[in-house]
Amino acid sequence: MFKASLRSHLTLWFAGLSLLTLLSVGFYVGHIATEQMRQASGNALLSTAKSAAELLGAQLHERQLEVSLLSRAPLLKRGNLDDPDILTSMELRTQSRAEYAWMGVADGDGRVRQAVNNLLVNQSVKQRPWFQAGLRDDYTGDPHEAVLLAKLLPGSPNGEPLRFIDFAAPIRNAQGQVVGVLGAHAHWSWVTKIVDAAVLQKGTTPAVEALIVDNDGKVLYAE
């Protein structure tokens, strides 16, 4: 009787110990699996963010290079900013690149001498950051809301304020003197499409949202 009782207790004790061991192992394995899934998700998000940033950086660099090369064209180096061939060259660029909302040349005093669709012609852009920076060197600006162009261009379909990224480059004559600035404004919606393309290429799930935030913490994308 005593042996049977002891045998029963030992059996129950070993069964309980085995169950506890199984539960502990299961919990540990589950914890490891969860951590691995979390790490894999984090790596996927980082990869997507890097891909979007690299693609966006390459596109911005390409537009800046395009503006810079145009500013050094022989017809601009002649120094005559009223040359009609300059307007023709700018029109060809904007027709081939839908992202450009505006392109024009301003003289050293900041007066727009020529521009695609005659937008802002004879107006002063002297106080605009892109012009001031463009007098010194090639310039790519931060996203900003439209100021001078807001009333001259169609509004955004989603009701958001029009935003642009500015590109500029100094115009130097044959003697190397700065005689003006070539400026271009690209639609911010062009940037959002680049980011969308990068995210979709990575196969990101709909639950993941990509964000672009400026230095002040303001969310610029998604609009």
Side-chain angles (χ1 to χ4, degrees):
M1 186 73 174
F2 173 75
K3 290 182 178 181
S5 177
L6 179 60
R7 188 181 299 111
S8 299
H9 280 82
L10 288 174
T11 301
L12 290 174
W13 187 81
F14 279 115
L17 182 61
S18 299
L19 180 60
L20 179 61
T21 302
L22 289 173
L23 288 174
S24 299
V25 171
F27 177 78
Y28 178 70
V29 172
H31 177 70
I32 292 177
T34 301
E35 286 298 317
Q36 289 179 339
M37 290 177 62
R38 186 178 302 162
Q39 185 175 1
S41 297
N43 290 337
L45 288 174
L46 180 60
S47 176
T48 299
K50 284 185 175 180
S51 176
E54 289 172 357
L55 180 59
L56 180 56
Q59 290 292 325
L60 291 174
H61 176 71
E62 192 174 307
R63 297 290 79 73
Q64 177 60 69
L65 182 61
E66 186 172 46
V67 170
S68 180
L69 291 175
L70 180 58
S71 74
R72 302 173 192 174
L75 60 93
L76 282 163
K77 292 187 71 172
R78 298 182 193 129
N80 179 17
L81 300 185
D82 294 323
D83 186 339
D85 288 340
I86 294 176
L87 179 60
T88 300
S89 182
M90 292 190 297
E91 288 174 338
L92 290 174
R93 295 298 191 286
T94 56
Q95 288 169 6
S96 64
R97 300 283 189 184
E99 58 265 26
Y100 287 126
W102 181 86
M103 184 178 287
V105 291
D107 60 27
D109 294 324
R111 184 169 68 89
V112 177
R113 302 291 284 272
Q114 295 195 82
V116 175
N117 296 325
N118 290 322
L119 295 176
L120 304 181
V121 170
N122 291 324
Q123 293 193 38
S124 176
V125 292
K126 188 175 183 178
Q127 302 303 319
R128 304 305 304 148
W130 66 264
F131 174 79
Q132 296 175 1
L135 285 172
R136 300 185 297 271
D137 203 350
D138 294 349
Y139 171 77
T140 299
D142 294 326
H144 66 90
E145 293 185 13
V147 178
L148 298 177
L149 289 175
K151 298 179 181 179
L152 303 177
L153 294 173
S156 174
N158 59 11
E160 287 281 326
L162 289 177
R163 293 189 179 95
F164 301 120
I165 291 182
D166 298 336
F167 303 94
I171 301 171
R172 293 183 170 89
N173 60 20
Q175 291 73 43
Q177 300 170 323
V178 176
V179 296
V181 173
L182 172 65
H185 303 333
H187 289 287
W188 176 245
S189 57
W190 163 66
V191 173
T192 65
K193 291 176 182 177
I194 293 174
V195 178
D196 286 341
V199 171
L200 291 175
Q201 284 177 1
K202 282 293 182 179
T204 305
T205 61
V208 175
E209 183 180 11
L211 299 174
I212 297 179
V213 183
D214 66 13
N215 291 331
D216 297 323
K218 182 178 181 180
V219 176
L220 301 175
Y221 172 89
E223 292 182 299

